[in-house]
């Protein structure tokens, strides 16, 4: 249940970054000086000197769009933690808790660091929509809908027909992507981050590193959960994979 804290931090911090970038994009303002100093320390100025004008505009709008998607994802997950999910009495390790807080601060900052610094000159930028923006957003919506459905299925296992919580024990879920994998909500999380990589133009190495982290993190959690189901439920469906349908 303390994962709720992660999404509170993410909504506040990434919402702040989103507002900053929005003001740059549409109001012609500059990012706060301390953010520009961080970019300079990371070498973003030198990395963006050779970037073409229209390419820079695409980078700007792509980063704005991904930051918006990340913020919306955090808002939805926060709402699900507060009003959908039914948590057991399990606890989280303090190291994992601190890492989680740091992760949701760093991931939004990572998006902002993909914006070339040499276009922050006080001029308004036009919206440049590209084909990969459309594909990325469509994939994001598709994966988000399935993740919400799967989380609702898990929550309903502990509720009565009237919606009252009647148990905190684990049960075997059925429906939606649960018919193919044990942890479809983890698989959907991976797809959401892949959709953001597509929205960034598919060539952003930094964000693909984030995707790889999410892949290994979610895969490990899925395997542990899959083994738990197999160990505790003798009639657990044999055809289900742990994480990726038909693959893993």
């Amino acid at each position: 249940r303390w994962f709720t804290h992660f999404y509170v931090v993410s909504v506040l911090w990434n919402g702040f970054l989103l507002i900053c970038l929005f003001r740059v994009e549409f109001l012609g303002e500059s990012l706060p000086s301390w953010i520009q100093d961080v970019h300079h320390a990371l070498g973003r100025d030198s990395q963006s000197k050779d970037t073409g004008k229209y390419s820079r505009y695409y980078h700007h709008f792509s980063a704005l769009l991904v930051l918006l998607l990340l913020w919306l994802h955090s808002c939805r997950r926060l709402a699900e933690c507060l009003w959908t999910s039914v948590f057991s009495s399990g606890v989280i390790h303090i190291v994992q808790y601190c890492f989680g807080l740091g992760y949701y601060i760093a991931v939004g900052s990572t998006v902002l660091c993909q914006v070339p610094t040499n276009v922050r000159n006080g001029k308004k930028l036009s919206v440049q929509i590209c084909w990969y923006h459309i594909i990325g957003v469509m994939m994001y919506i598709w994966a988000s809908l399935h993740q919400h459905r799967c989380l609702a299925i898990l929550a309903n296992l502990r509720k009565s027909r009237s919606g009252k919580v009647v148990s905190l024990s684990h049960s075997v879920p059925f429906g939606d992507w649960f018919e193919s994998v044990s942890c479809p909500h983890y698989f959907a999380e991976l797809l959401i981050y892949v959709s953001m990589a597509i929205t960034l133009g598919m060539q952003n190495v930094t964000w693909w590193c984030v995707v790889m982290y999410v892949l290994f993190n979610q895969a490990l959690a899925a395997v542990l959960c899959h083994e738990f189901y197999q160990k505790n439920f003798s009639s657990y469906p044999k055809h289900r994979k742990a994480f990726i349908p038909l693959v893993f």
Side-chain angles (χ1 to χ4, degrees):
R1 67 179 71 250
W2 278 29
F3 270 61
T4 305
H5 300 177
F6 299 162
Y7 301 119
V8 170
V9 170
S10 183
V11 168
L12 295 176
W13 172 249
N14 294 316
F16 166 72
L17 296 181
L18 179 62
I19 292 173
C20 289
L21 192 54
F22 181 88
R23 294 172 72 90
V24 171
E25 180 79 20
F26 296 107
L27 302 180
E29 298 183 5
S30 297
L31 286 173
S33 58
W34 62 270
I35 294 181
Q36 296 192 46
D37 290 340
V38 171
H39 278 75
H40 180 72
L42 294 174
R44 291 300 301 170
D45 291 319
S46 60
Q47 293 177 23
S48 58
K49 286 181 180 178
D50 298 327
T51 309
K53 174 182 176 182
Y54 292 103
S55 178
R56 294 199 303 266
Y57 285 179
Y58 280 122
H59 281 305
H60 241 264
F61 183 66
S62 296
L64 178 66
L65 191 54
V66 169
L67 202 52
L68 174 61
L69 296 180
L70 182 63
W71 182 75
L72 290 174
H73 176 61
S74 301
C75 289
R76 178 179 62 82
R77 290 295 293 118
L78 176 59
E80 288 166 345
C81 285
L82 293 175
W83 298 299
T84 300
S85 298
V86 179
F87 298 103
S88 65
S89 57
V91 296
I92 185 173
H93 195 281
I94 184 63
V95 174
Q96 185 182 7
Y97 177 75
C98 293
F99 181 84
L101 293 176
Y103 170 79
Y104 281 100
I105 293 175
V107 72
S109 304
T110 299
V111 177
L112 199 61
C113 283
Q114 307 313 303
V115 179
T117 55
N118 56 335
V119 295
R120 299 194 188 95
N121 52 10
K123 295 181 180 179
K124 296 181 182 179
L125 299 177
S126 58
V127 174
Q128 301 287 340
I129 299 178
C130 194
W131 61 269
Y132 50 77
H133 295 148
I134 298 174
I135 293 177
V137 171
M138 290 179 63
M139 182 177 178
Y140 170 89
I141 294 174
W142 174 64
S144 297
L145 287 173
H146 278 285
Q147 187 178 55
H148 176 73
R149 290 173 185 171
C150 292
L151 290 171
I153 289 173
L154 287 175
N156 288 334
L157 291 175
R158 295 176 171 178
K159 297 178 181 179
S160 64
R161 291 180 178 271
S162 62
K164 182 181 179 180
V165 176
V166 295
S167 173
L168 295 181
S169 62
H170 292 83
S171 303
V172 179
F174 292 93
D176 205 76
W177 286 356
F178 278 110
E179 300 302 322
S180 301
V181 291
S182 296
C183 301
H185 47 307
Y186 295 156
F187 178 55
E189 184 81 4
L190 173 63
L191 294 181
I192 287 171
Y193 278 83
V194 170
S195 72
M196 295 181 191
I198 295 174
T199 305
L200 282 171
M202 296 184 291
Q203 297 181 350
N204 192 298
V205 177
T206 304
W207 192 258
W208 280 114
C209 290
V210 175
V211 172
M212 292 303 295
Y213 163 75
V214 173
L215 168 62
F216 289 114
N217 178 274
Q218 300 297 300
L220 175 60
V223 168
L224 295 175
C225 189
H226 184 67
E227 292 176 348
F228 173 85
Y229 280 130
Q230 291 179 322
K231 179 181 179 180
N232 290 275
F233 299 98
S234 58
S235 60
Y236 193 72
K238 303 294 184 181
H239 66 278
R240 288 190 191 180
K241 299 296 184 180
F243 185 46
I244 302 177
L246 305 176
V247 178
F248 173 69

